[in-house]
Amino acid sequence: MENGNKQLRLRWCSAFALALLALVEADGFLVEITYVESAVAKGAVCLDGSPPAYHLAPGFGSGVNSWLVHFQGGAWCNNVTDCLRRSLTPFGSSKEMAKQSDFTGILSNTPDYNPDFYNWNKVQVLYCDGSSFTGNKEEVDPRTNLHYRGARVWQAVIEDLFAKGMNRAENALISGCSAGGLTSILHCDKFHQLLPVGANVKCLSDAGFFLNVEDIAGEDHAATFFNDVVTTHGSAMNLPHPCTSKLPAGMCFFPQNVVKHIKTPLFILNAAYDSWQIANILVPGDSAPHWQSCKNDISQCSAKQLMTLQGFRDHFLEALEEQGNSSTKGLFINSCFVHCQTEMQETWFAPRISGAW
């Protein structure tokens, strides 16, 4: 009966999302790209040495002094080969980025679909470094021309936004999806420190609470991967010091080791059955071919596989409980088999908790 309830819960999420998709019409609007050319002189560049970039939709009306800075997701690269491959894509080079972005979900400008932020200055920071904006290696190998400068990119983009009015922000929210959601956690307090004294500053992580858990083979796949990311990019000095002073830097890529130290108000939005984490942390790559159909379609999971997913969910909730209770922390954890819920209109327009942002 318990397995049946789990399947019903997961299937309900899929059916609910499909129903909303049918009800909610596409409501995006196209926003042009902005290249931060001045960042190049500071060495704040993408993996291939090209300038960083973002999309900015100016605020209007009562939102003219409010800012939403949303960081794009896109995983990470953990070695030279992986980063070289990435440098040929929009996630490693602004030369490959689309010139326009469709702003929907939390970036929508329609009050009915995005009542809290529709008229704010809305920024989508494009992700081209592969380290959640933490890398900072000075040297550049002439054989690869790879630049590990994510932390500099973060700083250069924020400075550019300050020059465009964010230095006068009365309200500011840093958010992100996936690797961008991790960015909003890792840079949360730093972002707050840069904003004007008296500004109302908060952070939102969507699908950014990546779990340190063994895979189905009992291996520490995620811990090894994040340690390689930190080493490759030289990220250690740009990770939260309260964590790195106690743990190896690679462990400070896991929010469960960082969130408890964050002082700025933080809201965590995540699925306990996070589909990306299940496919890449719990059952990474092609390590278990008999899991492929389950990873692609939750309704195809066997009873034993559902028990494994339930175990992941239990570990996820335990990691959240370890953060303790705080008036500056909030969360919304559902049991859907999804990854990222703020960027798509049909999931952002799903169940909302009313109240002041």
Side-chain angles (χ1 to χ4, degrees):
M1 184 63 179
E2 177 64 19
N3 284 341
N5 288 338
K6 292 170 197 165
Q7 279 193 313
L8 181 62
R9 181 166 56 218
L10 292 165
R11 286 173 178 170
W12 179 88
C13 287
S14 298
F16 186 73
L18 288 173
L20 282 171
L21 181 59
L23 290 171
V24 179
E25 298 179 357
D27 185 55
F29 66 106
L30 296 177
V31 179
E32 298 294 328
I33 196 169
T34 296
Y35 298 99
V36 189
E37 300 286 357
S38 61
V40 177
K42 305 172 186 176
V45 293
C46 299
L47 281 171
D48 71 335
S50 59
Y54 60 82
H55 299 272
L56 166 62
F60 55 92
S62 62
V64 71
N65 287 322
S66 296
W67 289 76
L68 166 59
V69 183
H70 186 81
F71 286 84
Q72 183 185 37
W76 311 267
C77 59
N78 68 324
N79 56 50
V80 172
T81 300
D82 195 20
C83 290
L84 267 176
R85 187 182 305 114
R86 187 184 183 95
S87 71
L88 303 176
T89 75
F91 294 103
S93 172
S94 61
K95 298 175 184 177
E96 305 298 326
M97 293 173 179
K99 299 299 186 289
Q100 296 179 319
S101 179
D102 190 16
F103 273 26
T104 62
I106 196 171
L107 298 175
S108 170
N109 66 348
T110 301
D112 286 345
Y113 292 163
N114 191 27
D116 295 309
F117 309 114
Y118 74 96
N119 63 349
W120 286 30
N121 296 279
K122 296 181 291 293
V123 185
Q124 181 187 52
V125 182
L126 300 175
Y127 181 34
C128 67
D129 71 280
S131 72
S132 284
F133 297 89
T134 62
N136 191 18
K137 279 189 174 179
E138 183 65 36
E139 67 275 11
V140 177
D141 189 335
R143 295 171 299 176
T144 63
N145 194 42
L146 285 174
H147 297 68
Y148 301 109
R149 304 285 179 75
R152 296 192 200 184
V153 168
W154 189 91
Q155 186 69 33
V157 168
I158 296 300
E159 289 175 358
D160 202 61
L161 295 176
F162 265 57
K164 294 183 176 178
M166 196 165 72
N167 60 324
R168 299 186 299 275
E170 297 173 359
N171 299 296
L173 175 68
I174 182 176
S175 67
C177 154
S178 191
L182 179 59
T183 297
S184 69
I185 291 174
L186 297 178
H187 293 278
C188 182
D189 281 340
K190 183 179 179 181
F191 180 72
H192 192 179
Q193 291 165 6
L194 293 174
L195 270 290
V197 176
N200 185 19
V201 182
K202 299 180 182 180
C203 309
L204 166 64
S205 173
D206 176 14
F209 199 94
F210 294 94
L211 192 62
N212 182 17
V213 64
E214 291 181 348
D215 63 22
I216 58 171
E219 302 293 332
D220 292 321
H221 172 79
T224 300
F225 180 86
F226 278 150
N227 184 67
D228 290 344
V229 170
V230 169
T231 301
T232 297
H233 291 265
S235 299
M237 295 299 293
N238 299 300
L239 295 170
H241 180 69
C243 179
T244 57
S245 64
K246 299 176 181 178
L247 296 171
M251 290 294 100
C252 298
F253 247 65
F254 291 108
Q256 65 202 82
N257 298 324
V258 174
V259 166
K260 66 186 72 174
H261 303 297
I262 294 175
K263 296 180 174 60
T264 305
L266 169 67
F267 193 88
I268 295 171
L269 168 64
N270 225 106
Y273 297 100
D274 188 300
S275 58
W276 190 93
Q277 294 195 54
I278 287 170
N280 293 276
I281 292 179
L282 183 64
V283 192
D286 299 323
S287 60
H290 63 285
W291 267 85
Q292 284 306 123
S293 59
C294 175
K295 288 162 64 173
N296 295 332
D297 181 357
I298 199 73
S299 67
Q300 299 302 310
C301 296
S302 67
K304 184 177 180 179
Q305 288 170 330
L306 286 173
M307 288 297 294
T308 301
L309 297 186
Q310 179 67 20
F312 178 88
R313 176 180 180 273
D314 292 343
H315 285 303
F316 189 91
L317 297 179
E318 288 169 5
L320 286 171
E321 289 175 0
E322 289 172 2
Q323 306 309 308
N325 296 320
S326 170
S327 60
T328 63
K329 304 292 190 301
L331 52 85
F332 183 80
I333 309 299
N334 59 34
S335 292
C336 295
F337 189 66
V338 295
H339 184 66
C340 291
Q341 300 175 72
T342 59
E343 296 179 341
M344 295 176 62
Q345 195 62 61
E346 59 269 22
T347 47
W348 179 242
F349 194 57
R352 291 185 67 252
I353 300 175
S354 61
W357 79 276

Short mmCIF file of all heavy atoms in Angstrom, two decimals, residues 97-148:
data_model
loop_
_atom_site.label_atom_id
_atom_site.label_comp_id
_atom_site.label_asym_id
_atom_site.label_seq_id
_atom_site.Cartn_x
_atom_site.Cartn_y
_atom_site.Cartn_z
N MET A 97 25.98 32.24 -27.06
CA MET A 97 24.71 32.49 -26.37
C MET A 97 23.65 33.07 -27.30
O MET A 97 23.97 33.80 -28.24
CB MET A 97 24.94 33.47 -25.20
CG MET A 97 25.78 32.91 -24.09
SD MET A 97 26.18 34.19 -22.86
CE MET A 97 27.14 33.25 -21.68
N ALA A 98 22.40 32.75 -27.02
CA ALA A 98 21.29 33.33 -27.78
C ALA A 98 21.22 34.82 -27.50
O ALA A 98 21.49 35.28 -26.39
CB ALA A 98 19.98 32.65 -27.38
N LYS A 99 20.85 35.58 -28.51
CA LYS A 99 20.80 37.04 -28.39
C LYS A 99 19.57 37.51 -27.60
O LYS A 99 19.53 38.63 -27.12
CB LYS A 99 20.80 37.69 -29.77
CG LYS A 99 22.06 37.37 -30.61
CD LYS A 99 23.31 37.87 -29.91
CE LYS A 99 24.54 37.70 -30.79
NZ LYS A 99 24.95 36.29 -30.93
N GLN A 100 18.58 36.66 -27.49
CA GLN A 100 17.37 37.00 -26.75
C GLN A 100 17.00 35.87 -25.81
O GLN A 100 17.34 34.71 -26.03
CB GLN A 100 16.19 37.25 -27.71
CG GLN A 100 16.37 38.43 -28.65
CD GLN A 100 15.18 38.59 -29.58
OE1 GLN A 100 14.64 37.61 -30.09
NE2 GLN A 100 14.75 39.83 -29.78
N SER A 101 16.31 36.23 -24.72
CA SER A 101 15.83 35.22 -23.77
C SER A 101 14.35 35.45 -23.51
O SER A 101 13.90 36.60 -23.40
CB SER A 101 16.61 35.32 -22.45
OG SER A 101 16.14 34.37 -21.51
N ASP A 102 13.61 34.37 -23.41
CA ASP A 102 12.18 34.43 -23.16
C ASP A 102 11.94 34.46 -21.66
O ASP A 102 12.19 33.47 -20.97
CB ASP A 102 11.51 33.21 -23.80
CG ASP A 102 10.00 33.31 -23.80
OD1 ASP A 102 9.48 34.42 -23.59
OD2 ASP A 102 9.34 32.28 -24.02
N PHE A 103 11.50 35.59 -21.13
CA PHE A 103 11.28 35.74 -19.70
C PHE A 103 9.89 35.24 -19.32
O PHE A 103 8.88 35.82 -19.68
CB PHE A 103 11.42 37.21 -19.29
CG PHE A 103 12.84 37.64 -18.98
CD1 PHE A 103 13.92 36.98 -19.54
CD2 PHE A 103 13.08 38.71 -18.13
CE1 PHE A 103 15.23 37.37 -19.26
CE2 PHE A 103 14.38 39.11 -17.83
CZ PHE A 103 15.45 38.44 -18.39
N THR A 104 9.85 34.14 -18.58
CA THR A 104 8.60 33.57 -18.08
C THR A 104 8.76 33.23 -16.61
O THR A 104 9.82 33.43 -16.02
CB THR A 104 8.22 32.30 -18.86
OG1 THR A 104 9.24 31.30 -18.66
CG2 THR A 104 8.10 32.56 -20.35
N GLY A 105 7.72 32.70 -16.01
CA GLY A 105 7.79 32.28 -14.62
C GLY A 105 8.10 33.45 -13.70
O GLY A 105 7.47 34.50 -13.75
N ILE A 106 9.13 33.29 -12.89
CA ILE A 106 9.51 34.32 -11.94
C ILE A 106 10.01 35.59 -12.64
O ILE A 106 10.07 36.66 -12.03
CB ILE A 106 10.60 33.78 -10.98
CG1 ILE A 106 10.72 34.68 -9.74
CG2 ILE A 106 11.93 33.62 -11.69
CD1 ILE A 106 11.61 34.11 -8.66
N LEU A 107 10.31 35.49 -13.94
CA LEU A 107 10.78 36.63 -14.72
C LEU A 107 9.66 37.26 -15.56
O LEU A 107 9.90 38.23 -16.28
CB LEU A 107 11.93 36.20 -15.63
CG LEU A 107 13.19 35.68 -14.93
CD1 LEU A 107 14.20 35.18 -15.96
CD2 LEU A 107 13.81 36.76 -14.05
N SER A 108 8.45 36.76 -15.46
CA SER A 108 7.33 37.28 -16.24
C SER A 108 7.01 38.72 -15.85
O SER A 108 7.21 39.14 -14.71
CB SER A 108 6.10 36.40 -16.01
OG SER A 108 4.94 36.99 -16.56
N ASN A 109 6.49 39.49 -16.81
CA ASN A 109 6.07 40.86 -16.52
C ASN A 109 4.55 41.01 -16.46
O ASN A 109 4.01 42.10 -16.59
CB ASN A 109 6.64 41.83 -17.57
CG ASN A 109 6.06 41.59 -18.96
OD1 ASN A 109 5.40 40.58 -19.21
ND2 ASN A 109 6.31 42.52 -19.87
N THR A 110 3.87 39.88 -16.27
CA THR A 110 2.41 39.88 -16.18
C THR A 110 1.98 39.73 -14.72
O THR A 110 2.29 38.72 -14.08
CB THR A 110 1.82 38.73 -17.01
OG1 THR A 110 2.23 38.87 -18.37
CG2 THR A 110 0.30 38.74 -16.94
N PRO A 111 1.26 40.71 -14.17
CA PRO A 111 0.90 40.65 -12.74
C PRO A 111 0.06 39.44 -12.36
O PRO A 111 0.18 38.93 -11.25
CB PRO A 111 0.15 41.96 -12.51
CG PRO A 111 -0.25 42.46 -13.86
CD PRO A 111 0.80 41.97 -14.80
N ASP A 112 -0.79 38.96 -13.26
CA ASP A 112 -1.62 37.80 -12.94
C ASP A 112 -0.78 36.53 -12.75
O ASP A 112 -1.17 35.63 -12.00
CB ASP A 112 -2.65 37.56 -14.05
CG ASP A 112 -3.77 38.57 -14.02
OD1 ASP A 112 -3.91 39.27 -12.99
OD2 ASP A 112 -4.49 38.69 -15.03
N TYR A 113 0.34 36.45 -13.47
CA TYR A 113 1.17 35.25 -13.41
C TYR A 113 2.41 35.41 -12.54
O TYR A 113 3.07 34.42 -12.21
CB TYR A 113 1.62 34.85 -14.83
CG TYR A 113 0.49 34.37 -15.71
CD1 TYR A 113 0.65 34.32 -17.10
CD2 TYR A 113 -0.72 33.95 -15.17
CE1 TYR A 113 -0.38 33.88 -17.91
CE2 TYR A 113 -1.76 33.51 -15.97
CZ TYR A 113 -1.58 33.48 -17.35
OH TYR A 113 -2.60 33.04 -18.16
N ASN A 114 2.74 36.63 -12.18
CA ASN A 114 3.94 36.89 -11.37
C ASN A 114 3.70 38.12 -10.50
O ASN A 114 4.38 39.13 -10.64
CB ASN A 114 5.14 37.11 -12.30
CG ASN A 114 6.46 37.12 -11.56
OD1 ASN A 114 6.62 36.51 -10.51
ND2 ASN A 114 7.45 37.83 -12.12
N PRO A 115 2.72 38.04 -9.61
CA PRO A 115 2.26 39.23 -8.88
C PRO A 115 3.31 39.91 -8.00
O PRO A 115 3.24 41.11 -7.78
CB PRO A 115 1.09 38.71 -8.05
CG PRO A 115 1.31 37.24 -7.95
CD PRO A 115 1.94 36.84 -9.23
N ASP A 116 4.29 39.16 -7.52
CA ASP A 116 5.27 39.74 -6.61
C ASP A 116 6.39 40.49 -7.32
O ASP A 116 6.94 41.45 -6.79
CB ASP A 116 5.89 38.65 -5.73
CG ASP A 116 4.87 38.03 -4.79
OD1 ASP A 116 4.18 38.80 -4.10
OD2 ASP A 116 4.77 36.80 -4.75
N PHE A 117 6.76 40.04 -8.53
CA PHE A 117 7.97 40.57 -9.17
C PHE A 117 7.76 41.10 -10.58
O PHE A 117 8.73 41.46 -11.26
CB PHE A 117 9.06 39.48 -9.21
CG PHE A 117 9.30 38.80 -7.89
CD1 PHE A 117 8.98 37.46 -7.71
CD2 PHE A 117 9.82 39.50 -6.82
CE1 PHE A 117 9.18 36.82 -6.49
CE2 PHE A 117 10.03 38.88 -5.59
CZ PHE A 117 9.71 37.54 -5.43
N TYR A 118 6.53 41.16 -11.06
CA TYR A 118 6.29 41.48 -12.46
C TYR A 118 6.87 42.82 -12.90
O TYR A 118 7.28 42.98 -14.06
CB TYR A 118 4.78 41.44 -12.76
CG TYR A 118 4.00 42.62 -12.22
CD1 TYR A 118 3.71 43.72 -13.02
CD2 TYR A 118 3.57 42.65 -10.89
CE1 TYR A 118 3.00 44.82 -12.50
CE2 TYR A 118 2.87 43.72 -10.38
CZ TYR A 118 2.59 44.80 -11.19
OH TYR A 118 1.91 45.88 -10.69
N ASN A 119 6.91 43.81 -11.99
CA ASN A 119 7.38 45.14 -12.39
C ASN A 119 8.75 45.49 -11.81
O ASN A 119 9.17 46.64 -11.83
CB ASN A 119 6.36 46.21 -12.01
CG ASN A 119 6.15 46.33 -10.50
OD1 ASN A 119 6.60 45.48 -9.74
ND2 ASN A 119 5.45 47.37 -10.07
N TRP A 120 9.46 44.49 -11.29
CA TRP A 120 10.82 44.71 -10.79
C TRP A 120 11.81 44.77 -11.96
O TRP A 120 11.51 44.32 -13.07
CB TRP A 120 11.23 43.57 -9.87
CG TRP A 120 10.60 43.57 -8.52
CD1 TRP A 120 9.36 44.05 -8.17
CD2 TRP A 120 11.17 43.06 -7.31
NE1 TRP A 120 9.13 43.86 -6.83
CE2 TRP A 120 10.22 43.26 -6.27
CE3 TRP A 120 12.38 42.45 -7.00
CZ2 TRP A 120 10.46 42.86 -4.95
CZ3 TRP A 120 12.63 42.05 -5.69
CH2 TRP A 120 11.68 42.26 -4.68
N ASN A 121 12.98 45.29 -11.70
CA ASN A 121 14.10 45.10 -12.61
C ASN A 121 14.46 43.62 -12.54
O ASN A 121 14.80 43.12 -11.46
CB ASN A 121 15.30 45.94 -12.17
CG ASN A 121 15.03 47.43 -12.22
OD1 ASN A 121 15.11 48.04 -13.27
ND2 ASN A 121 14.71 48.01 -11.05
N LYS A 122 14.38 42.93 -13.66
CA LYS A 122 14.60 41.48 -13.66
C LYS A 122 15.81 41.15 -14.52
O LYS A 122 15.88 41.53 -15.70
CB LYS A 122 13.35 40.75 -14.16
CG LYS A 122 12.14 40.95 -13.23
CD LYS A 122 10.91 40.22 -13.72
CE LYS A 122 10.35 40.83 -14.98
NZ LYS A 122 9.80 42.18 -14.75
N VAL A 123 16.75 40.42 -13.94
CA VAL A 123 18.01 40.09 -14.60
C VAL A 123 18.18 38.58 -14.66
O VAL A 123 17.99 37.89 -13.65
CB VAL A 123 19.20 40.70 -13.85
CG1 VAL A 123 20.50 40.45 -14.61
CG2 VAL A 123 19.00 42.19 -13.60
N GLN A 124 18.54 38.09 -15.82
CA GLN A 124 18.95 36.69 -15.95
C GLN A 124 20.44 36.68 -16.26
O GLN A 124 20.87 37.11 -17.33
CB GLN A 124 18.19 35.99 -17.08
CG GLN A 124 18.57 34.51 -17.24
CD GLN A 124 17.95 33.88 -18.47
OE1 GLN A 124 18.07 34.41 -19.57
NE2 GLN A 124 17.26 32.77 -18.29
N VAL A 125 21.24 36.26 -15.28
CA VAL A 125 22.69 36.22 -15.46
C VAL A 125 23.05 34.90 -16.13
O VAL A 125 22.72 33.82 -15.61
CB VAL A 125 23.42 36.34 -14.11
CG1 VAL A 125 24.93 36.33 -14.33
CG2 VAL A 125 23.00 37.63 -13.39
N LEU A 126 23.69 34.99 -17.27
CA LEU A 126 24.02 33.80 -18.05
C LEU A 126 25.25 33.10 -17.47
O LEU A 126 26.20 33.75 -17.02
CB LEU A 126 24.21 34.18 -19.51
CG LEU A 126 22.96 34.82 -20.13
CD1 LEU A 126 23.23 35.31 -21.54
CD2 LEU A 126 21.79 33.84 -20.13
N TYR A 127 25.23 31.78 -17.51
CA TYR A 127 26.19 30.94 -16.80
C TYR A 127 27.23 30.41 -17.78
O TYR A 127 26.94 29.55 -18.60
CB TYR A 127 25.41 29.80 -16.15
CG TYR A 127 26.19 28.81 -15.32
CD1 TYR A 127 27.30 29.18 -14.57
CD2 TYR A 127 25.77 27.49 -15.25
CE1 TYR A 127 27.97 28.25 -13.79
CE2 TYR A 127 26.42 26.56 -14.46
CZ TYR A 127 27.53 26.94 -13.73
OH TYR A 127 28.18 26.02 -12.95
N CYS A 128 28.47 30.91 -17.67
CA CYS A 128 29.49 30.50 -18.66
C CYS A 128 30.81 30.11 -18.02
O CYS A 128 31.85 30.16 -18.69
CB CYS A 128 29.70 31.62 -19.67
SG CYS A 128 30.44 33.13 -19.01
N ASP A 129 30.80 29.74 -16.73
CA ASP A 129 32.08 29.39 -16.09
C ASP A 129 32.15 27.95 -15.59
O ASP A 129 33.24 27.41 -15.42
CB ASP A 129 32.35 30.35 -14.93
CG ASP A 129 31.41 30.12 -13.75
OD1 ASP A 129 30.26 30.60 -13.82
OD2 ASP A 129 31.83 29.46 -12.78
N GLY A 130 31.03 27.33 -15.28
CA GLY A 130 31.02 25.93 -14.88
C GLY A 130 31.41 25.67 -13.44
O GLY A 130 31.77 24.55 -13.08
N SER A 131 31.33 26.71 -12.57
CA SER A 131 31.69 26.51 -11.16
C SER A 131 30.71 27.18 -10.21
O SER A 131 31.05 27.43 -9.05
CB SER A 131 33.10 27.07 -10.88
OG SER A 131 33.10 28.50 -10.91
N SER A 132 29.51 27.48 -10.67
CA SER A 132 28.54 28.26 -9.87
C SER A 132 29.16 29.58 -9.43
O SER A 132 28.98 30.02 -8.29
CB SER A 132 28.03 27.46 -8.67
OG SER A 132 27.09 26.48 -9.09
N PHE A 133 29.93 30.18 -10.32
CA PHE A 133 30.54 31.50 -10.12
C PHE A 133 31.47 31.54 -8.91
O PHE A 133 31.47 32.49 -8.14
CB PHE A 133 29.44 32.56 -9.97
CG PHE A 133 28.57 32.72 -11.19
CD1 PHE A 133 27.42 31.94 -11.34
CD2 PHE A 133 28.89 33.62 -12.19
CE1 PHE A 133 26.61 32.07 -12.47
CE2 PHE A 133 28.09 33.76 -13.32
CZ PHE A 133 26.95 32.97 -13.45
N THR A 134 32.31 30.50 -8.76
CA THR A 134 33.24 30.45 -7.62
C THR A 134 34.70 30.38 -8.04
O THR A 134 35.59 30.62 -7.22
CB THR A 134 32.95 29.23 -6.72
OG1 THR A 134 33.14 28.02 -7.47
CG2 THR A 134 31.53 29.27 -6.16
N GLY A 135 35.00 30.06 -9.29
CA GLY A 135 36.38 29.85 -9.71
C GLY A 135 37.20 31.13 -9.79
O GLY A 135 36.67 32.20 -10.05
N ASN A 136 38.51 31.00 -9.56
CA ASN A 136 39.38 32.17 -9.71
C ASN A 136 40.84 31.75 -9.79
O ASN A 136 41.61 31.90 -8.84
CB ASN A 136 39.19 33.16 -8.57
CG ASN A 136 39.89 34.49 -8.85
OD1 ASN A 136 40.22 34.80 -9.99
ND2 ASN A 136 40.12 35.26 -7.81
N LYS A 137 41.23 31.22 -10.93
CA LYS A 137 42.63 30.89 -11.19
C LYS A 137 43.24 31.97 -12.08
O LYS A 137 42.68 32.31 -13.11
CB LYS A 137 42.75 29.53 -11.86
CG LYS A 137 42.67 28.34 -10.92
CD LYS A 137 43.01 27.05 -11.64
CE LYS A 137 43.07 25.87 -10.67
NZ LYS A 137 43.39 24.60 -11.39
N GLU A 138 44.37 32.48 -11.67
CA GLU A 138 45.03 33.54 -12.43
C GLU A 138 45.63 33.02 -13.72
O GLU A 138 45.50 33.61 -14.79
CB GLU A 138 46.11 34.21 -11.57
CG GLU A 138 46.81 35.38 -12.25
CD GLU A 138 45.85 36.54 -12.50
OE1 GLU A 138 44.97 36.78 -11.66
OE2 GLU A 138 46.00 37.20 -13.55
N GLU A 139 46.29 31.86 -13.63
CA GLU A 139 47.01 31.34 -14.79
C GLU A 139 46.04 30.79 -15.84
O GLU A 139 44.97 30.27 -15.53
CB GLU A 139 47.98 30.24 -14.36
CG GLU A 139 47.35 28.97 -13.84
CD GLU A 139 47.01 29.03 -12.35
OE1 GLU A 139 47.08 30.13 -11.76
OE2 GLU A 139 46.65 27.97 -11.79
N VAL A 140 46.45 30.96 -17.11
CA VAL A 140 45.70 30.43 -18.25
C VAL A 140 46.63 29.54 -19.05
O VAL A 140 47.67 30.00 -19.53
CB VAL A 140 45.16 31.56 -19.15
CG1 VAL A 140 44.43 30.97 -20.36
CG2 VAL A 140 44.24 32.47 -18.36
N ASP A 141 46.29 28.28 -19.17
CA ASP A 141 47.12 27.34 -19.93
C ASP A 141 47.02 27.69 -21.41
O ASP A 141 45.93 27.62 -21.99
CB ASP A 141 46.61 25.91 -19.69
CG ASP A 141 47.55 24.86 -20.27
OD1 ASP A 141 48.29 25.17 -21.23
OD2 ASP A 141 47.52 23.72 -19.78
N PRO A 142 48.12 28.07 -22.04
CA PRO A 142 48.07 28.46 -23.46
C PRO A 142 47.63 27.33 -24.38
O PRO A 142 47.18 27.57 -25.50
CB PRO A 142 49.51 28.90 -23.76
CG PRO A 142 50.35 28.21 -22.73
CD PRO A 142 49.49 28.16 -21.50
N ARG A 143 47.74 26.09 -23.92
CA ARG A 143 47.33 24.96 -24.75
C ARG A 143 45.81 24.83 -24.84
O ARG A 143 45.28 24.32 -25.83
CB ARG A 143 47.93 23.66 -24.20
CG ARG A 143 49.44 23.59 -24.24
CD ARG A 143 49.94 22.38 -23.49
NE ARG A 143 49.55 22.43 -22.08
CZ ARG A 143 49.79 21.45 -21.21
NH1 ARG A 143 50.39 20.33 -21.62
NH2 ARG A 143 49.42 21.57 -19.95
N THR A 144 45.13 25.29 -23.81
CA THR A 144 43.67 25.15 -23.78
C THR A 144 42.95 26.50 -23.83
O THR A 144 41.79 26.56 -24.24
CB THR A 144 43.22 24.44 -22.50
OG1 THR A 144 43.58 25.24 -21.35
CG2 THR A 144 43.90 23.07 -22.38
N ASN A 145 43.62 27.56 -23.39
CA ASN A 145 43.02 28.90 -23.28
C ASN A 145 41.80 28.91 -22.37
O ASN A 145 40.89 29.74 -22.52
CB ASN A 145 42.65 29.47 -24.65
CG ASN A 145 42.36 30.96 -24.60
OD1 ASN A 145 43.06 31.72 -23.95
ND2 ASN A 145 41.30 31.39 -25.27
N LEU A 146 41.77 28.01 -21.40
CA LEU A 146 40.65 27.97 -20.47
C LEU A 146 40.86 28.98 -19.35
O LEU A 146 41.94 29.08 -18.76
CB LEU A 146 40.49 26.57 -19.88
CG LEU A 146 39.89 25.51 -20.79
CD1 LEU A 146 39.94 24.14 -20.12
CD2 LEU A 146 38.45 25.86 -21.17
N HIS A 147 39.80 29.74 -19.07
CA HIS A 147 39.82 30.74 -18.01
C HIS A 147 38.85 30.29 -16.90
O HIS A 147 37.65 30.16 -17.15
CB HIS A 147 39.37 32.10 -18.54
CG HIS A 147 40.27 32.67 -19.60
ND1 HIS A 147 40.37 32.12 -20.86
CD2 HIS A 147 41.09 33.75 -19.56
CE1 HIS A 147 41.23 32.84 -21.57
NE2 HIS A 147 41.68 33.83 -20.82
N TYR A 148 39.40 30.06 -15.72
CA TYR A 148 38.56 29.67 -14.58
C TYR A 148 38.34 30.92 -13.72
O TYR A 148 39.04 31.16 -12.75
CB TYR A 148 39.24 28.56 -13.79
CG TYR A 148 39.52 27.32 -14.61
CD1 TYR A 148 40.83 26.98 -14.97
CD2 TYR A 148 38.49 26.48 -15.02
CE1 TYR A 148 41.09 25.84 -15.72
CE2 TYR A 148 38.74 25.34 -15.77
CZ TYR A 148 40.05 25.03 -16.12
OH TYR A 148 40.30 23.90 -16.87
#
